[in-house]
Amino acid sequence: MSATIITSAVLVVYFAVLVGIGLYCRKNSTDVNGFVLGGRSVGPWLTAFAYGTSYFSAVVFVGYAGQFGWKYGISATWAGLGNAFIGSLLAWVILGRRTRIMTQHLDSATMPQFFGKRFNSPALKIFASVIIFIFLIPYTASLYNGLSRLFGMAFNIDYSWCILLMAVLTAVYVIAGGYMATAISDFIQGIIMLAGISIVIIAVLKSKGGFMAALDGLAKINAPEVSETPGIFASFFGPDPLNLMFVVLLTSLGTWGLPQMVQKFYAIKNEDSIKKGTIISTVFAVVVAGGSYFLGGFGRLFTDVLNVGPKGIPEGGFDAIIPKMLSTLSPSLIALVVVLVLSASMSTLSSLVIASSSTLSIDFIGSFGKKKMSDKTQVFVIRILIVAFIAISAIIALVQYKSNVTFIAQLMGVSWGALAGAFLAPFLYSLYWKKTTKISCYASFIFGSLLMIYNMLFRSTLPEIMRSPINCGVIAMVAGLIIVPVVSIFTPKPDKKLVEDTFACYKKKTTVAQETALAD
């Protein structure tokens, strides 16, 4: 049986399940709290899988794993481990509990709403919502690009149909069921991703004689345009440790400032869910992210199907590496890969559209009305904006394709860099430091977003180390961590009563079982 028939059958079942989940969850999405946060009652497994599947998409599996595996060899696996232990484990430990407590205390459903209430500043909320909406769009466009590569390999169909299929299906189940539908879908998609990446790695290594034989083959590769050191692609730190470190930092620490990631902590049910979710999310990231970059590290073993050009770049760019590697697999495994990447991309897309549309509705449009919109009206507006957001990002993806702009990592680097550079430091300090000021948040918002816009428009004028969107994004994040405390010291202090009322949420007494804490 051909790969096309097998893959088509699997996809039909997969699509039917997603639509069914969306319709089933309609009853939980009648108000804003239910539609955007699942009623703040999402358990550990659903939350952890929602976090992980929103984190890793076709951008990672196809774009980043292919590009950085090619550049750094097996050492690219450090990026996956960084995603697991910095982007997942530390994020849950440092942000999880405090985010859940303070956002519920402030009754905020989005990151801009959090800033607006934390500093009693509607203008700060509106500014944050504009940044989020602008920079989530190129990230979403990059998801379509990665997916199109795999669909082209499996079906040999035009990219436009890939975009239409993904956009329509995502819109249907997200609009119908809201956050709870995406959480349940993410759980199913996460299981597919865990099983899929494990099976694919085994199959790819087996095709090259097993792990040791593949590693030995990698060590024998000679690429003088990269490095003269023998065996560099099979080494611990690879040919370029400095730039690899920037990749690790942006893709790991950067998640701390991404609204669609942080928003997962808003919906956690209880303390037990945080503890379990931390472990589940970390294990998920080790397998999926670690596995993706590990797989990409063996890309240079497939030069027989990659048609490498004179500059050492494969035909079709870095985004073509993973699809070409997988094109040699059996029809059943190709079907699994397509569903794997579709699952990863759709889970991330659903997370992005909910984060962006809820932000635009609650924080931007809602701020200009004379009367506060009712819950029913807000949910209706969010649903309309979901359609608009998906349509805009799909159009951008088509324009990108027609213009032959195919480097996924660049689009994602600009988006992640701007969002993390703008929000990571203000959000982190706002959770922990009472002296954080409103003006320091503005300073970080402006610096992070403008630096990435400058990188996108005038890249050649920057110092060489900042020309990469990834490196520039890391510099924006680090700068924000310095800007916020420095500006806070020299600007008017926040209202003492507002701050004390906000931080009082951490002092609230709770009763726990004796297995957690002994009685006095």
Side-chain angles (χ1 to χ4, degrees), residues 94-109:
I94 293 174
L95 299 180
R97 181 183 292 103
R98 281 188 170 249
T99 299
R100 173 64 170 81
I101 294 170
M102 189 177 281
T103 56
Q104 184 175 29
H105 177 70
L106 296 175
D107 191 26
S108 58

Side-chain angles (χ1 to χ4, degrees), residues 215-296:
L215 194 64
D216 183 58
L218 202 60
K220 293 176 180 177
I221 287 175
N222 181 32
E225 73 279 2
V226 177
S227 174
E228 296 287 350
T229 306
I232 194 67
F233 294 109
S235 65
F236 197 62
F237 289 117
D240 192 356
L242 179 61
N243 279 306
L244 176 58
M245 181 187 71
F246 277 106
V247 173
V248 172
L249 287 175
L250 181 69
T251 61
S252 303
L253 191 61
T255 59
W256 295 26
L258 299 182
Q260 77 275 15
M261 301 299 298
V262 172
Q263 197 166 326
K264 299 296 184 289
F265 298 134
Y266 291 29
I268 299 173
K269 186 175 183 179
N270 51 31
E271 177 68 21
D272 184 57
S273 296
I274 292 175
K275 292 178 179 177
K276 291 179 180 177
T278 302
I279 298 170
I280 297 166
S281 178
T282 304
V283 172
F284 183 91
V286 168
V287 175
V288 175
S292 295
Y293 286 104
F294 176 76
L295 177 67

Side-chain angles (χ1 to χ4, degrees), residues 22 181 185 187 199 275-276 292 301 313 320 354 356 381 420 479 483 513:
S185 300
F187 180 72
I199 294 170
K275 292 178 179 177
K276 291 179 180 177
S292 295
L301 296 180
I313 299 175
I354 285 185
S356 182
V381 172
I483 288 171

Side-chain angles (χ1 to χ4, degrees), residues 33 36 43 146 152-153 182 212 254 365 368 389 409 415-416 438 450 455 463:
N33 189 46
V36 178
M153 175 195 72
T182 66
M212 294 308 298
I365 296 174
F368 293 100
F389 184 79
S415 177
W416 273 43
K438 175 175 64 177
L450 288 185
N455 174 274

Side-chain angles (χ1 to χ4, degrees), residues 19 73 79 249 440:
V19 172
L249 287 175
S440 72

